[in-house]
Amino acid sequence: MKVTGDANVFVLQQINTNVFANPQHIADNLHLLADYLKEKSPNYLFAAPLATLDGQLLVQAEGSFFRLSPFVAGSKTVDYLTKTSQAYEAARQFGKFTFLLRELDVNQLKYTLPNFHDLSLRISQFKQALAKAPQQRKVEAEYAIQQVQQHFTIADLYEQISKDKLIPLRVIHHDTKINNVLFDDGDNSLGIIDLDTIMPGYFISDVGDMMRTYLAEANEEEQDMDKIDIRPNFFSAIYAGYISHMGAA
């Protein structure tokens, strides 16, 4: 909710405790990151919540948790990618975020959504759902089921990456859809928002989520598969934008 004070504009939010069981974990993470970025990268736009007079980022009232964040003047969000430059700018912004935090001890962060991007867990849940599904439903979804089953080996690779530490554990946003990026009127990226899912993770989570939501022109909720096409030029834009910062990490 957008609220206006005497001279400033703010965004008032209520934390969804059905999703985030421990809102304090979010507040602790953002407090840590805000302090770090203020010291190391003071010019970086990090839209963290404002602290109360006693230094808290959350206020509890009537069993709910609330926070107040500054409204970034001159900013906007977009729901659909229409230009490769938008994909580039968004990927650049998420790459910049992780790059700036590359020296932070990632073990200081708390997991606000445990197992959020745990691929092996998702495969296990899929198998359980498949075992319990009615036969007719399995017949109707046969093609989709086969597609998932053909790619089970990706979970094995994920496990190897995690076990053998083939990719560094970093500070990752975990929800890189396009409307979590702030743009100015010229479609230049300003920063990122929706910071609740920031946790330790692997860059493949952020890049993969961008590919999932940027490569097709259709919205991620689209049910008509005929409208879902891969746009190779957007793939190239994601790569170029992300590597512009992370290539040096």
Side-chain angles (χ1 to χ4, degrees), residues 7 14-15 41 45 49 60 74 97 143 149 158 167 172-173 205 216 248:
Q14 179 180 350
I15 305 297
S41 305
L45 174 62
Q60 186 173 7
F97 171 73
Y143 175 78
Q149 291 173 330
Y158 171 83
I167 298 176
I172 300 297
H173 186 277
S205 286

Side-chain angles (χ1 to χ4, degrees), residues 192-247:
I192 58 177
I193 55 174
D194 199 1
L195 310 173
D196 299 341
T197 56
I198 293 174
M199 297 176 284
Y202 302 109
F203 82 93
I204 52 178
S205 286
D206 276 4
V207 174
D209 202 34
M210 281 186 275
M211 291 182 181
R212 180 182 69 86
T213 56
Y214 297 4
L215 295 185
E217 186 173 358
N219 182 276
E220 64 177 320
E221 304 297 332
E222 181 59 61
Q223 298 295 310
D224 185 351
M225 298 300 290
D226 291 335
K227 295 182 180 179
I228 300 177
D229 258 342
I230 300 300
R231 299 180 288 183
N233 53 337
F234 279 75
F235 177 92
S236 299
I238 293 170
Y239 171 81
Y242 198 76
I243 208 70
S244 67
H245 282 286
M246 287 298 288

